[in-house]
Each structure stands twice: as C-alpha cells, then as structure tokens.
Amino acid sequence: MDDKPGPGPLSETSEFLFSFGVIADIQYADLEDGYNFQGNRRRYYRHSLLHLQGAIEHWNTEGSPPRCVLQLGDIIDGYNAQYKASEKSLELVMNTFQMLKVPVHHTWGNHEFYNFSRNYLTNSKLNTKFLEDQIVHHPETVPSENYYAYHFVPFPQFRFILLDAYDLSVLGVDQSSAKYQQCLKILKGHNPNSELNSPQGLSEPQFVQFNGGFSQEQLNWLNEVLTFSDTNQEKVVIVSHLPIYPEASDSVCLAWNYRDALAVIWSHRCVVCFFAGHTHDGGYSEDPFGVHHVNLEGVIETAPDSQAFGTVYVYPDKMMLKGRGRVPDRIMNYKRENAFRC
Ligand SMILES: [Zn+2]
C-alpha cells in the first residue's frame, strides 16, 4: 500500500484553502478479472469496488475533509449490460458512495451509455445536476437540458465545470432520433471502417464510436461561463470523461472535437486544470496557455495491492494533486499573471 504522507495543509507556506477528491473509471462488474481489448492490461472488475471503498474511507478520515469528490465517469463496466446486471451493479456502487460524507459529482462516460440510455441516466442518481450553482442575473450561464453539464462553486472564487463529452455521440441516444443520425454522420465522415470502434488507418484516430464530442451549443455555454469567471477573477477547474489535450493522452482516447474545446478554453484566462478519465494509464501535460491537463489512472486496471485516486489541495497560487497508489503527485501552478495577490 502506498502510504506517503500528503503535502498536508500545514506543510505549505502559502495558505491552504480547500481540497477535493478525484477518482476515475471504477468500471465495477461482478466478474472474474479480465483484460482490456488489446489484452495487455488486467482488469479487476470485482476489486474495483474495494478500491472505491478504500478511497471513501480515506476521504472520510482526512483531517480537513474534501469539499467534494469528482467521479470522472465509467462507474460500472459495459459487461453489466450483457449479464443484465446494470441496475444491480449501479445500486451496489451508489450504495458504496452513500458512505462518503461529502457530495460527489458524477460525470458520464461511454460505459454509462453501454448500460443505460441518456434518458435513464437523466432520471438516475448519476445525475448530480441538483448540486449546480446558479448565477443570479446571468441567464447565459444556465446550461440547456440538451446536454448533461453544469457548474458549481465548492469554495469562493473557484468554479468547477462538469462537461458532457458524449453530447455528440451515437451511444445512449435513440437510433430513430435526428441527433443519432447527425452524430452517426459525423462519425462516419471521419471513420470509414466497418467497425466504428476501430481507429485503424484514421488520420484523426479519436473518431471512434467509444468516444464522443461537445455540441456547439454546449461550447457556447462553456464560453459564457468562462467569460463570467474571467470577469469575476475566478479560478476554474473543468471535468470531463474524455481528455482534450493530445500531449496528455493517447491519440485515440480524445474527444472528437477536442480542438474546439481547447479553442474556447484558451480564449480565457481563468482555467487552471482539466481533469479527465477514460485512458486508464493516466497522463499529464501543461499546455502552452498554462492549463494543466490531468488524465487520472483508472481504478479498473489497478492491482488489489495498489490504489488509484487522489486529493487535490488548493492554495492561492497552485493546486497540488496528492496521488494514492499509481496516481502520481502533481504540482499545478497557476499562470503567473493569474495567481491571487494575497
Ligand atoms: Zn471511458
């Protein structure tokens, strides 16, 4: 077990403000261990629940409890659908989350849509939009019902934005809908393979069925929220199941239109970091605009004798990710001109 001492609020010279937890790709299923599609990564389907329990026990007993936990998607594995165990497995994982003493924000990934329709998810406990913040007199910062995204403020001057990376997707939508046809057209326009989950031969290998993208409507909303945050000198953390920065990910796992999302983020000063899951191996890169992209290591491919979660400690000039098990520590300084003057 990894038991390094955390950076700890008291070990820092600058003032500790608050913390939050991060965890990704739990992919629980009541199944024997298996392997990923390439056959080179072991998947611990049952043990993932014990990893989650360990993370929750840790967060519950931290001296200064986190304000919230960000669950980055793929909470149960797609195999559950095959065994008609989707609801039972979801209930088991959600009962485990009930033990957590702080709010959890759930992101939706491809495995959510292998198990459930978008409609089902909207009415399920995986919809945590009720935790959103509403900015009085700024209706442009209210998300539409067409996608699952919202923003919230866990601490004054820090806004978190949860994005829907499957807003454009052929997963989870009714095949008779116009949206499905539109998304299938986008996917096929970039992927001529008969197996749409295959990136073989693609110049843009992220155009596979297990990924998705952001609609222009959602990106316009994101732009409005970031404009508000810029104006009010807030720091912003963005959360999405799919990563958007190629240097922090493998080229296949990115959101379809990751460039569009980057263009919006790069046109603002307020974004500090972008947390994603999906890749399982993890990754990190600071982009040229000073945004830190963290792809969290997935619980599902974490051996029973290790761990995969983290706590992010927030300071006036930086965020420090304290990783557990195979999640490495990261120091994420704010862009210099953006650090708070305290
Ligand atoms: Zn995924």
Side-chain angles (χ1 to χ4, degrees):
M1 289 290 235
D2 176 285
D3 203 19
K4 292 170 282 181
L10 298 176
S11 67
E12 287 305 304
T13 47
S14 80
E15 183 198 0
F16 167 72
L17 301 175
F18 71 103
S19 67
F20 59 95
V22 283
I23 192 162
D25 300 281
I26 298 165
Q27 282 183 231
Y28 170 74
D30 184 13
L31 288 176
E32 296 297 319
D33 294 351
Y35 284 88
N36 63 343
F37 295 113
Q38 293 77 30
N40 57 354
R41 295 280 191 282
R42 197 170 172 92
R43 291 187 166 179
Y44 305 89
Y45 293 109
R46 280 198 190 105
H47 200 91
S48 67
L49 196 64
L50 297 176
H51 279 314
L52 173 63
Q53 282 171 4
I56 289 173
E57 277 163 29
H58 177 88
W59 286 318
N60 280 347
T61 53
E62 281 209 64
S64 175
R67 290 285 169 127
C68 63
V69 168
L70 310 175
Q71 189 275 107
L72 302 173
D74 287 357
I75 197 168
I76 63 169
D77 194 88
Y79 271 128
N80 285 292
Q82 218 167 297
Y83 293 95
K84 305 217 181 313
S86 302
E87 291 188 321
K88 193 178 165 204
S89 289
L90 180 63
E91 200 184 331
L92 199 56
V93 179
M94 296 308 273
N95 285 346
T96 304
F97 265 112
Q98 286 279 323
M99 313 289 282
L100 184 65
K101 292 176 182 165
V102 299
V104 53
H105 296 264
H106 293 293
T107 313
W108 298 348
N110 46 315
H111 284 264
E112 273 66 47
F113 296 109
Y114 298 152
N115 285 287
F116 306 110
S117 69
R118 179 168 282 270
N119 205 24
Y120 182 98
L121 289 170
T122 302
N123 296 301
S124 77
K125 288 179 180 165
L126 284 176
N127 182 349
T128 46
K129 202 175 164 186
F130 65 92
L131 296 169
E132 76 178 335
D133 174 64
Q134 305 243 353
I135 306 172
V136 182
H137 306 311
H138 285 275
E140 74 281 7
T141 63
V142 176
S144 107
E145 299 289 323
N146 296 334
Y147 46 85
Y148 171 62
Y150 62 90
H151 55 88
F152 62 100
V153 180
F155 190 87
Q157 299 298 110
F158 286 86
R159 190 169 300 278
F160 286 28
I161 304 175
L162 190 145
L163 291 182
D164 185 346
Y166 288 85
D167 180 7
L168 299 181
S169 169
V170 294
L171 304 176
V173 277
D174 193 331
Q175 297 197 2
S176 63
S177 67
K179 180 105 183 230
Y180 177 85
Q181 294 303 329
Q182 177 207 348
C183 295
L184 188 63
K185 198 173 162 193
I186 296 170
L187 179 56
K188 286 190 165 175
H190 292 85
N191 186 337
N193 295 327
S194 55
E195 171 49 77
L196 290 170
N197 271 325
S198 169
Q200 205 180 358
L202 303 186
S203 59
E204 292 195 272
Q206 80 274 20
F207 279 96
V208 285
Q209 187 170 287
F210 58 80
N211 292 336
F214 311 98
S215 68
Q216 194 55 50
E217 186 190 16
Q218 186 182 184
L219 292 174
N220 292 346
W221 165 78
L222 173 65
N223 191 49
E224 296 291 356
V225 180
L226 296 181
T227 301
F228 178 88
S229 291
D230 271 352
T231 306
N232 292 279
Q233 295 178 311
E234 295 177 337
K235 295 270 165 275
V236 171
V237 171
I238 301 182
V239 187
S240 150
H241 182 64
L242 298 180
I244 60 165
Y245 191 57
E247 300 292 314
S249 168
D250 68 72
S251 57
V252 176
C253 285
L254 295 160
W256 288 350
N257 57 339
Y258 68 88
R259 288 187 194 87
D260 297 338
L262 281 174
V264 172
I265 289 168
W266 287 347
S267 69
H268 296 274
R269 299 156 48 95
C270 54
V271 182
V272 173
C273 54
F274 190 105
F275 283 95
H278 195 55
T279 61
H280 297 187
D281 278 352
Y284 166 81
S285 185
E286 182 181 353
D287 71 31
F289 294 83
V291 179
H292 301 268
H293 296 264
V294 180
N295 294 345
L296 211 69
E297 286 71 9
V299 169
I300 183 64
E301 291 175 13
T302 302
D305 64 352
S306 185
Q307 291 170 303
F309 66 96
T311 304
V312 181
Y313 298 88
V314 181
Y315 295 87
D317 59 342
K318 62 180 171 294
M319 295 191 184
M320 296 175 76
L321 166 61
K322 170 64 197 164
R324 297 284 160 179
R326 66 195 199 101
V327 175
D329 294 347
R330 311 269 181 207
I331 295 178
M332 300 178 282
N333 292 309
Y334 307 154
K335 287 165 259 195
R336 248 209 343 204
E337 73 273 25
N338 274 357
F340 283 149
R341 315 247 185 280
C342 287

